[in-house]
């Protein structure tokens, strides 16, 4: 188990390093000089040069990469070109919206999908199964931002149960949670459709395995065999999808935030792009990538918990 | 072989009380007839072997007897266990009965156990699911059963997972699960088919011992008559969903009233007509061949390790010679044959054909390679499912600098097909139109089309039913006679190698432990491993073949 | 499940036809602004109503289909064209440096959510349909590379591949002659799935303004425009959304139907 974790950790570190390099280089080739942007069209060349050296933009590329990297490792994400405030502060403020939203959606999606998938697999070929399949077909095909608009139309504008957008902050947790509910549902349902399908087909595959027949020969009923032997084995591909979905939800939140006017990472990144605040873009993208890679690592660890074959040194 | 120290079972062989009574059982699945009017009886304490070729319906009969028929199965007739008809029993009652009154052991030990559950828990589950005893008592009983089936708690504690066990050990776990509640009936569906011959002997001994000791009845499904002969009280022979003959083992084997039984029996002990040859000069020379496989690292900073599959093997094959290579799975025989084909590089040593190395600078020389061809084991995996027979057979032409085209190519394909007993017009057909035996003929045609000097048969008859196997062996013998072909016949099955080779190499753990003329090695094995292989191989008794002397009469 | 194949093919064909017809003819002019006729509900004159600039919605949906289908198709083509050869090559040299490189690059790309790639690309080159194609296409490369490699590896272990090697055929030849034809079904099925995902992604990108720019019509931007009018005239939000939903649904049904029709054992991943 330790060797396995070590192996995964090493690859996590390497991925992060390579990803940071890629992000840095991509942002580096982007046209437009942040200093000129900040000072406007009519700035004097020497003022621009002074600002460039203040921002460290005149240093060699490799030096700037290293200082950016080193800064991030010590929690210093640099200073926003536009707002002159620490990027870390801005990001922390926005994450307080985006991360809870993604987790909320992930929770909803899992809560809906796993029972639906298990139910469909257990009733394979019957009406209940067909119903779940039909619902997942629709769920997969729905664009989540459109679904979000429909939710607003129905629950905010017609029924007035929820507000159509905005975020009141976490001072009143319940109110905050309520304002995240429609966005979370919009994010979760299409993902739940995918997850339910994976759960269903994985479980159906497992139920045709030899060891299920062995369990039945021991005297387990169909249902007992499904719960005691099928489920844990079927969970392995489901975990993969769950890991992928987290990153998808984080990124998907960027669009949904637009629909509901939520002050999350998505809004921050769009603002920063239009304002050429590249250091913020860099940091937010790096953060998202870090989240994805970290979740992949956790998924790998979860595999090892579910599947003893991975735990051995091999 | 049969430990009958405690004859406390009621009845015993010959007891009359019927535990299982199958009465004109017919079965169809989604409209396809599988079984027709099958009738069987099995008394308490008795071992009944159900035998027949693949597709004869013997496994379905077994599944019916534990009430695990697939969905869409329609039945008629009766199947009584202790007087209750399993065909009409509701599912709830069937669950209560499975594992408690009937236990079942399956063929594939590698997939029959739940990979994510400890073996002790899996054995315990049989007890707990029937609420037969409390948790602690169940754990103790599970430990007792596991010890009984030969799983030493010191070496194989119940906390192990299936992937940490060998095939034979997993099969023991499977048996422990099946007998944990001392069922009256044990069904074993080809329980040793996936195992090596020495392991097979141990498992068969264990099963027979358990049945005798606990007074269980056993329904044993097997395709192997030799296995049957050694352990069953009675035999039922199935063909195409019907039972064609049944009776006491000795009697059935001796009388063989039904023609099909006779055919099976003869095919099982078939001796291909091998014409003696006088070998010519050395053709293939294997010198100190070493093949290592890299193992994955334990962690990123661990040194690379390697598994040595072939450890410095040397031997020659001379022109016209027919050499056998036997050994159990994992002994390195397949790796060695792939190295001879130039498919795998050697880490040390050399393999050369007619004095020229097969691989030079890691690349095979087409001129050398065309002199060695191969026939693989799997009649289904050996052909690209999208190609026609003609295209498949002609593939080795790629090795020729100037391959025949047009009519010459068609003629060569037709010639190769005729040589293996197929018709030239088969060239147009897609491969899925052919049976397993026909496919092995096509594989042989593919190997022969560029007239190689040496053919490697890599378990080439292992996947075939006995009657088809006998025909393919005859074909190989005939090709050796008409074409002066030399070959290396790789197999795990001693009886096959015996009938078709002049010389024998016995391989174990990457080394050749014994070599010599086939008949000498069989008559007088010197290495302990060869001896144990021969002892372990199930044997057909030499009875009843009146007038038949040496060819069929030898044991094995 | 023949039904899903027919339904899927009908839906996909309808939208493809609509897109093709729009090159020659649309019921109304998609560039003619007529404020007087704005936000009209569906009627005999405008079957699907009009938008906030008074343009005929049916015409907008037909021309929008052009963008959606083209972007997704080219993106899938890009992913397949690069991903499949890479996957084949990686499988042919399993464990070799190329395999390592392909797989690690795949992992790296998977670490960037496709939307993040799009944002990065837009940050550099500015928004546009071409950049949307690039962003979706890049994400498709590892999908196809991974799928191809995995399936090809299982074939490399089969005996008929060994037989081809015994016949002296090299890895490139075996990959093209023996492996690729056996992967065709799998790739077709995954292709339709990626195609539908591409349409969803394109819609999302143009919704946030990173996709096709005006005056090129697109479903995503129609929805963005509709957002503030939802309360006034729900049909301007419902029509383009339904177009996306039905196209994606049609393609998914087509993919599932094809899978069952071609080979029921295939189960491509939807990751």
């Amino acid at each position: 188990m330790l060797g396995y974790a070590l192996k995964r950790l090493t690859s996590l570190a390497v991925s992060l390093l390579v990803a940071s390099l890629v992000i840095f280089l991509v942002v580096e080739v982007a046209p437009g000089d942040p200093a000129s942007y900040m000072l406007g069209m009519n700035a004097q060349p020497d003022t621009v040069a002074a600002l460039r050296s203040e921002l460290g933009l005149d240093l060699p590329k490799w030096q700037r990469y290293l200082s950016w990297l080193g800064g991030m490792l010590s929690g210093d994400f640099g200073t926003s070109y536009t707002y002159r405030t620490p990027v870390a502060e801005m990001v922390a403020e926005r994450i307080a919206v985006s991360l809870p939203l993604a987790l909320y959606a992930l929770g909803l999606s899992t809560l809906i999908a796993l029972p639906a998938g298990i139910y469909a697999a257990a009733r394979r070929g019957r009406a209940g199964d067909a119903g779940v399949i039909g619902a997942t077909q629709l769920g997969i095909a729905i664009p989540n931002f459109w679904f979000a608009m429909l939710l607003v139309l129905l629950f905010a504008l017609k029924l007035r149960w929820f507000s159509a957008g905005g975020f009141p902050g976490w001072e009143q947790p319940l109110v905050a949670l309520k304002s995240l509910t429609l966005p979370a549902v919009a994010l979760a349902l299409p993902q739940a459709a995918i997850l339910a399908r994976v759960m269903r087909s994985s479980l159906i595959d497992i139920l045709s395995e030899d060891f299920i027949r062995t369990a039945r020969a021991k005297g387990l009923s169909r249902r007992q065999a499904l719960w005691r032997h099928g489920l844990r084995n079927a969970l392995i591909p489901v975990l993969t999808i769950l890991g992928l979905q987290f990153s998808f939800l984080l990124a998907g939140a960027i669009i949904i935030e637009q629909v509901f006017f939520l002050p999350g990472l998505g809004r921050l990144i769009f603002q920063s792009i239009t304002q050429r605040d590249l250091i913020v873009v860099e940091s937010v993208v790096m953060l998202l990538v870090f989240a994805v890679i970290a979740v992949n690592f956790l998924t790998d660890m979860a595999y090892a918990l579910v599947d003893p074959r991975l735990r051995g040194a091999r | 072989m049969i430990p009958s120290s405690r004859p406390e079972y009621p009845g015993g062989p010959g007891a009359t009380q019927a535990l299982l009574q199958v009465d004109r059982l017919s079965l169809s699945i989604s409209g396809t007839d599988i079984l027709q009017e099958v009738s069987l009886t099995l008394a308490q304490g008795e071992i009944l072997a159900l035998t027949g070729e693949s597709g004869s319906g013997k496994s379905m009969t077994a599944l019916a007897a534990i009430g695990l028929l697939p969905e869409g199965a329609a039945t008629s007739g009766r199947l009584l266990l202790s007087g209750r008809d399993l065909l009409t029993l509701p599912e709830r009652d069937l669950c209560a009965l499975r594992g408690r009154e009937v236990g079942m052991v399956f063929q594939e030990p590698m997939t029959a156990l739940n990979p994510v559950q400890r073996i002790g828990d899996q054995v315990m589950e049989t007890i707990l699911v029937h609420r037969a005893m409390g948790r602690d008592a169940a754990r103790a009983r599970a430990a007792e059963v596991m010890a009984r089936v030969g799983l030493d708690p010191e070496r194989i504690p119940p906390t192990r997972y299936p992937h940490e066990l060998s095939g034979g050990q997993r099969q023991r776990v499977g048996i422990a699960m099946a007998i944990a509640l001392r069922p009256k009936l044990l069904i074993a569906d080809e329980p040793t088919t996936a195992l090596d011959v020495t392991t097979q002997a141990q498992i068969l001994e264990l099963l027979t011992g358990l049945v005798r000791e606990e007074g269980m009845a056993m329904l044993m499904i097997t395709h192997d008559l030799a296995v049957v002969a050694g352990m069953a009280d009675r035999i039922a022979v199935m063909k195409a969903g019907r039972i064609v003959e049944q009776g006491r083992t000795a009697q059935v084997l001796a009388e063989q009233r039904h023609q099909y039984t006779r055919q099976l029996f003869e095919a099982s002990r078939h001796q291909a007509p091998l014409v003696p040859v006088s070998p010519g000069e050395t053709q293939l020379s294997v010198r100190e061949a070493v093949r290592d496989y890299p193992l994955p690292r334990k962690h990123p900073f661990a040194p690379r390790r390697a598994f040595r599959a072939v450890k410095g093997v040397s031997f020659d094959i001379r022109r016209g010679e027919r050499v056998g290579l036997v050994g159990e799975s994992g002994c390195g025989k397949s790796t060695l044959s792939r190295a001879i084909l130039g498919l795998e590089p050697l880490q040390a040593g050399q393999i050369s054909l007619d004095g020229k190395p097969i691989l030079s600078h890691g690349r095979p020389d087409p001129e050398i390679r065309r002199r060695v061809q191969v026939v693989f084991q799997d009649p289904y995996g050996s052909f690209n499912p999208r190609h026609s027979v003609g295209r498949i057979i002609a593939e080795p032409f790629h090795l020729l600098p100037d391959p025949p085209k047009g009519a010459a190519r068609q003629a060569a394909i037709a010639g190769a097909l005729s040589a293996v007993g197929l018709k030239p017009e088969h060239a147009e057909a897609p491969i899925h139109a052919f049976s397993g035996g026909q496919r092995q003929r096509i594989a042989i045609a593919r190997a022969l089309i560029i007239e190689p000097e040496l053919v490697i048969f890599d378990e080439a008859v292992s996947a075939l039913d006995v009657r088809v196997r006998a025909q393919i062996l005859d074909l190989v013998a005939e090709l050796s006679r008409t074409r002066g072909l030399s070959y290396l016949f790789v197999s795990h099955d001693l009886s096959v190698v015996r009938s078709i080779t002049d010389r024998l190499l016995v391989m174990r753990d990457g080394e050749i432990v014994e070599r010599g003329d086939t008949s000498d090695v069989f008559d007088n094995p010197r290495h302990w491993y060869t001896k144990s292989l021969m002892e372990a191989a199930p044997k057909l008794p030499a009875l009843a073949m009146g007038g038949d002397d040496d060819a069929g009469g030898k044991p094995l | 499940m023949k039904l899903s194949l027919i339904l899927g093919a009908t839906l996909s064909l309808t939208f493809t036809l609509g897109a093709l017809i729009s090159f020659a003819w649309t019921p109304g002019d998609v560039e003619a602004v007529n404020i007087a006729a704005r936000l009209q509900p569906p009627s005999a004159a405008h079957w699907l109503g009009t938008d906030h600039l008074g343009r005929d919605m049916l015409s907008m949906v037909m021309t929008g289909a052009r963008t959606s289908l083209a972007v997704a198709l080219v993106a899938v083509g890009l992913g397949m064209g690069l991903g499949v050869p890479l996957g084949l090559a990686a499988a042919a040299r399993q464990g070799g440096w190329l395999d390592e490189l392909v797989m690690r690059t795949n992992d790296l790309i998977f670490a960037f959510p496709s939307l993040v790639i799009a944002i990065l690309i837009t940050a550099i080159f500015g928004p546009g349909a071409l950049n949307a194609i690039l962003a979706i296409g890049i994400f498709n490369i590892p999908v196809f590379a991974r799928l191809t490699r995995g399936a090809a590896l299982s074939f490399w272990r089969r005996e008929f591949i060994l037989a081809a090697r015994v016949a002296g055929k090299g890895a490139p030849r075996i990959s093209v002659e023996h492996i690729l034809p056996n992967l065709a079904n799998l790739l077709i099925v995954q292709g339709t799935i990626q195609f539908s995902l591409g349409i969803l992604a394109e819609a999302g990108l143009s919704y946030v303004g990173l996709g096709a720019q005006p005056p090129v019509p697109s479903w995503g931007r129609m929805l963005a425009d509709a957002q503030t009018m939802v309360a006034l005239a729900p049909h301007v939000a419902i029509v383009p959304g339904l177009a996306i939903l039905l196209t994606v649904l049609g393609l998914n049904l087509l993919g599932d139907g094809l899978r069952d029709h071609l080979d029921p054992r295939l189960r491509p991943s939807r990751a």
Side-chain angles (χ1 to χ4, degrees):
Chain A
M1 183 77 190
L2 203 68
Y4 177 76
L6 201 64
K7 206 168 161 174
R8 293 288 137 202
L9 265 178
T10 317
S11 88
L12 175 130
V14 172
S15 311
L16 280 179
L17 202 66
V18 178
S20 71
L21 193 62
V22 169
I23 293 169
F24 181 79
L25 288 177
V26 164
V27 172
E28 204 50 41
V29 297
D33 176 33
S36 326
Y37 261 89
M38 287 163 68
L39 293 169
M41 300 293 266
N42 306 320
Q44 298 296 318
D46 51 334
T47 334
V48 173
L51 185 61
R52 281 178 61 85
S53 94
E54 188 196 325
L55 295 172
L57 291 173
D58 55 344
L59 294 173
K61 285 199 166 85
W62 62 269
Q63 220 171 331
R64 284 174 36 221
Y65 171 66
L66 286 184
S67 73
W68 175 61
L69 197 66
M72 272 197 304
L73 285 178
S74 59
D76 174 13
F77 287 52
T79 307
S80 159
Y81 299 154
T82 321
Y83 299 102
R84 301 292 179 108
T85 49
V87 177
E89 265 175 35
M90 299 170 64
V91 167
E93 201 177 294
R94 305 305 186 98
I95 275 189
V97 178
S98 294
L99 192 65
L101 176 56
L103 289 176
Y104 194 174
L106 193 70
L108 277 179
S109 146
T110 315
L111 229 57
I112 299 166
L114 298 195
I118 296 168
Y119 172 80
R123 315 197 145 246
R124 188 188 182 185
R126 286 189 254 167
D129 184 24
V132 172
I133 291 181
T136 60
Q137 281 286 15
L138 268 182
I140 287 171
I142 284 190
N144 59 12
F145 59 92
W146 181 60
F147 185 51
M149 288 165 72
L150 296 185
L151 288 179
V152 170
L153 188 61
L154 181 63
F155 292 104
L157 301 178
K158 291 259 151 59
L159 298 174
R160 303 199 172 273
W161 290 355
F162 293 90
S163 66
F167 183 71
W170 284 104
E171 285 78 33
Q172 289 172 288
L174 279 180
V175 179
L177 217 55
K178 192 179 169 197
S179 69
L180 289 184
T181 298
L182 284 189
V185 170
L187 272 173
L189 274 187
Q191 296 303 305
I194 297 176
L195 200 61
R197 289 194 133 214
V198 174
M199 183 73 237
R200 173 184 176 271
S201 66
S202 166
L203 196 52
I204 284 176
D205 282 352
I206 292 291
L207 288 181
S208 67
E209 291 277 342
D210 282 357
F211 63 81
I212 295 293
R213 194 178 55 182
T214 311
R216 302 264 289 130
K218 282 199 267 187
L220 275 73
S221 67
R222 210 177 285 277
R223 179 183 294 260
Q224 283 172 321
L226 185 151
W227 284 101
R228 296 192 195 176
H229 295 276
L231 208 54
R232 187 155 167 206
N233 281 286
L235 228 46
I236 293 168
V238 173
L239 279 176
T240 312
I241 302 300
L242 215 57
L244 282 174
Q245 287 202 340
F246 181 73
S247 64
F248 199 88
L249 287 172
L250 258 186
I254 295 179
I255 291 185
I256 293 294
E257 281 166 14
Q258 296 288 99
V259 182
F260 291 95
F261 309 105
L262 294 177
L265 284 176
R267 299 276 299 223
L268 180 63
I269 206 169
F270 284 121
Q271 273 168 15
S272 314
I273 285 177
T274 42
Q275 292 164 344
R276 232 63 228 158
D277 203 345
L278 294 185
I279 191 148
V280 177
V281 176
E282 258 176 357
S283 303
V284 174
V285 170
M286 192 62 219
L287 200 75
L288 289 174
V289 169
F290 172 78
V292 173
I293 292 178
V295 166
N296 284 349
F297 172 77
L298 290 179
T299 315
D300 284 343
M301 290 299 111
Y303 279 163
L305 283 183
V306 173
D307 191 344
R309 286 166 292 189
L310 287 174
R311 257 176 261 163
R314 273 161 295 157
Chain B
M1 181 157 172
I2 298 164
S4 49
S5 50
R6 291 176 9 202
E8 60 187 5
Y9 52 87
T16 46
Q17 184 198 352
L19 174 69
L20 176 73
Q21 190 179 351
V22 182
D23 188 13
R24 280 175 298 153
L25 170 67
S26 294
L27 165 69
S28 64
I29 296 176
S30 318
T32 315
D33 288 336
I34 308 286
L35 299 177
Q36 282 163 39
E37 309 233 317
V38 169
S39 294
L40 286 173
T41 54
L42 182 54
Q44 214 154 28
E46 191 183 36
I47 299 180
L48 170 66
L50 195 54
T51 188
E53 294 177 309
S54 46
S56 61
K58 52 191 195 303
S59 284
M60 271 310 157
T61 311
L63 289 175
I66 194 168
L68 277 180
L69 286 172
E71 272 175 55
T75 53
S76 67
R78 288 191 311 164
L79 199 153
L80 303 175
L81 183 80
S82 310
R84 286 197 290 173
D85 189 350
L86 298 197
L87 300 181
T88 57
L89 218 53
E91 176 64 23
R92 172 186 287 273
D93 294 347
L94 281 174
C95 282
L97 182 135
R98 291 186 205 115
R100 179 156 219 157
E101 292 184 44
V102 199
M104 186 154 178
V105 180
F106 295 95
Q107 173 173 354
E108 266 306 328
M110 302 322 257
T111 53
L113 303 182
N114 184 345
V116 304
Q117 202 178 42
R118 297 175 199 277
I119 54 172
D121 293 344
Q122 298 194 42
V123 175
M124 240 169 88
E125 188 176 38
T126 307
I127 305 164
L128 293 177
V129 79
H130 291 284
R131 302 183 204 280
M133 44 186 98
R135 249 195 129 68
D136 291 335
R139 182 168 294 116
R141 170 65 186 157
E144 185 192 333
V145 178
M146 287 168 80
R148 174 61 191 90
V149 298
L151 293 167
D152 176 6
E154 298 290 313
R155 283 179 48 243
I156 319 279
T159 49
R160 288 288 179 87
Y161 287 97
H163 72 278
E164 299 170 307
L165 272 55
S166 71
Q169 289 163 344
R170 292 187 203 193
Q171 199 58 300
R172 288 174 194 272
V173 176
I175 295 171
M177 291 193 302
I179 64 157
L181 286 175
R182 297 193 182 87
K184 293 184 204 136
L185 172 62
L186 181 63
I187 302 172
D189 186 4
E190 303 268 7
T192 58
T193 306
L195 303 175
D196 279 327
V197 58
T198 43
T199 320
Q200 160 167 310
Q202 292 160 6
I203 296 289
L204 289 177
E205 191 179 345
L206 171 66
L207 283 172
T208 331
L210 279 170
V211 169
R212 301 295 185 223
E213 234 175 80
E214 309 269 349
M216 287 185 271
M218 178 156 80
L219 177 63
M220 168 97 176
I221 314 296
T222 178
H223 69 283
D224 190 339
L225 276 178
V227 163
V228 171
M231 64 185 294
D233 300 317
R234 289 195 303 119
I235 296 187
V237 183
M238 282 191 88
K239 183 193 182 192
R242 290 175 190 278
I243 290 187
V244 295
E245 180 162 4
Q246 63 176 316
R248 304 202 60 77
T249 304
Q251 195 181 3
V252 169
L253 292 183
E255 293 177 4
Q256 297 175 18
R257 275 167 303 177
H258 197 278
Q259 185 199 359
Y260 180 67
T261 316
R262 207 148 50 237
Q263 286 171 356
L264 280 185
F265 200 76
E266 278 165 14
S268 300
R269 56 165 73 205
H270 183 75
Q271 197 77 17
L274 214 54
V275 182
V277 288
S278 43
E281 74 278 22
T282 299
Q283 203 173 35
L284 175 79
S285 148
V286 178
R287 285 286 164 274
E288 297 296 326
V290 171
R291 174 71 177 122
D292 291 336
Y293 287 113
L295 290 175
R297 294 172 205 225
K298 280 198 163 178
H299 57 87
F301 311 109
R304 270 239 176 263
R305 295 165 304 141
F307 169 71
R308 183 151 289 188
V310 177
K311 303 170 180 166
V313 165
S314 302
F315 67 92
D316 289 338
I317 295 181
R318 296 198 285 165
R319 197 165 294 283
E321 239 185 343
R322 298 157 299 198
V323 180
L325 177 61
V326 291
E328 296 182 301
S329 55
C331 75
K333 56 187 194 301
S334 281
T335 307
L336 182 60
S337 52
R338 281 172 196 188
I340 294 172
L341 289 163
L343 295 177
E344 303 212 4
L346 292 180
Q347 274 62 50
Q350 192 165 52
I351 299 175
S352 48
L353 197 70
D354 301 327
K356 298 191 190 96
I358 299 247
L359 287 178
S360 47
H361 307 296
R363 292 190 155 274
D365 178 350
E367 177 48 34
I368 302 299
R369 182 178 247 174
R370 59 161 293 208
R371 301 182 202 178
V372 200
Q373 286 296 307
V374 64
V375 177
F376 289 112
Q377 169 177 1
D378 181 2
Y380 294 89
S382 295
F383 310 100
N384 188 333
R386 294 174 166 264
H387 288 179
S388 69
V389 168
R391 185 165 175 196
I392 285 166
I393 291 180
E395 188 161 44
F397 278 150
H398 187 72
L399 286 162
L400 302 183
D402 181 26
K405 295 193 175 63
R409 184 183 145 102
Q410 297 309 322
I413 293 171
L417 281 171
S418 314
V420 297
L422 294 173
K423 297 197 181 76
E425 55 265 32
H426 285 146
E428 304 304 323
I431 187 69
H432 59 72
F434 293 88
S435 69
Q438 287 172 318
R439 284 169 185 236
Q440 282 314 66
R441 288 176 189 271
I442 292 167
I444 295 174
R446 170 170 64 186
L448 292 179
I449 198 160
I450 50 170
E451 298 180 347
E453 296 169 10
L454 176 69
V455 174
I456 294 178
F457 292 93
D458 189 355
E459 300 275 9
V461 297
S462 303
L464 304 176
D465 278 324
V466 278
R467 289 185 303 162
V468 181
R469 182 170 80 190
Q471 290 162 9
I472 298 292
L473 290 177
D474 283 346
L475 173 64
V476 171
E478 188 199 319
L479 290 170
S480 146
R481 181 173 60 81
T482 54
R483 302 195 170 209
L485 196 68
S486 341
Y487 56 76
L488 179 67
F489 206 102
V490 182
S491 180
H492 70 283
D493 187 336
L494 288 166
S495 64
V496 167
V497 177
R498 175 172 213 185
S499 76
I500 198 83
T501 63
D502 310 312
R503 217 148 58 73
L504 191 59
L505 308 167
V506 181
M507 202 165 174
R508 178 174 184 270
D509 282 349
E511 289 174 78
I512 290 179
V513 295
E514 178 150 5
R515 60 183 81 205
D517 287 346
T518 305
S519 54
D520 288 351
V521 174
F522 271 88
D523 292 341
N524 185 19
R526 277 159 304 166
H527 194 272
W528 65 267
Y529 179 69
T530 319
K531 285 180 194 162
S532 72
L533 274 185
M534 295 193 176
E535 270 166 28
K539 298 162 187 68
L540 274 177
L543 36 83
M545 300 299 284
D548 226 347
D549 44 39
D550 60 347
K554 282 183 206 164
L556 201 142
Chain C
M1 276 290 159
K2 274 267 188 273
L3 189 71
S4 76
L5 193 63
I6 294 166
L7 193 65
T10 314
L11 281 172
S12 313
L13 216 64
T14 310
F15 282 94
T16 315
L17 270 178
L20 290 178
I21 291 172
S22 78
F23 280 105
W25 172 84
T26 51
D29 188 346
V30 293
E31 288 179 22
V33 175
N34 178 8
I35 302 293
R38 66 200 282 260
L39 298 179
Q40 284 178 3
S43 63
H46 300 285
W47 288 3
L48 299 179
T50 59
D51 72 353
H52 62 295
L53 298 176
R55 294 174 296 188
D56 178 51
M57 291 286 282
L58 177 60
S59 313
M60 295 287 284
V61 166
M62 281 167 72
T63 26
R66 231 151 64 182
T67 317
S68 283
L69 293 176
V71 168
L73 194 66
V74 178
V76 171
L78 185 74
M80 260 196 190
L82 289 173
V84 171
L86 281 175
L88 284 176
R93 297 271 180 269
Q94 191 198 2
W97 63 269
L98 184 69
D99 187 24
E100 279 295 312
L101 186 71
V102 169
M103 291 316 286
R104 293 293 83 78
T105 315
N106 275 355
D107 289 346
L108 190 69
I109 296 180
F110 271 133
F112 290 80
S114 57
L115 196 68
V116 173
I117 295 183
I119 287 170
L120 272 180
I121 288 178
T122 322
I124 309 165
F125 302 110
L130 198 66
N131 295 336
I133 289 176
L134 212 57
I136 302 168
I138 286 178
F139 194 70
N140 270 326
I141 298 171
V143 170
F144 282 103
R146 204 172 263 207
L147 181 77
T148 306
R149 177 179 177 272
L153 275 184
S154 73
F155 278 110
W156 274 102
R157 284 191 268 274
R158 298 271 290 274
E159 287 181 341
F160 75 86
I161 299 296
L162 285 178
R165 291 176 64 200
V166 171
K169 292 182 175 169
R173 196 185 183 96
I174 290 176
S175 294
V176 172
E177 207 171 285
H178 285 291
I179 292 179
L180 194 56
N182 279 298
L183 298 184
N185 290 351
L186 183 70
L187 291 175
I188 290 171
V189 171
Q190 190 70 37
T192 56
I193 290 169
Q194 293 307 121
F195 192 32
S196 73
L197 290 177
I199 286 175
L200 277 178
E202 191 274 337
L205 287 179
S206 24
Y207 173 75
V208 291
L210 299 182
Q213 298 296 305
V216 181
S218 85
W219 293 341
R221 228 191 32 263
M222 287 168 75
L223 282 172
D225 291 342
Q227 194 168 353
T228 46
M229 329 277 167
V230 161
L232 288 172
H235 76 272
V236 290
I238 289 171
V239 167
L242 267 183
I244 300 171
L245 173 74
L246 291 177
T247 313
V248 173
L249 185 67
L251 284 167
N252 283 341
L253 289 175
L254 185 67
D256 286 1
L258 278 177
R259 181 189 61 207
D260 295 345
H261 185 69
L262 295 172
D263 188 344
R265 283 166 305 166
L266 293 179
R267 282 231 176 78
S269 70
R270 265 182 185 278

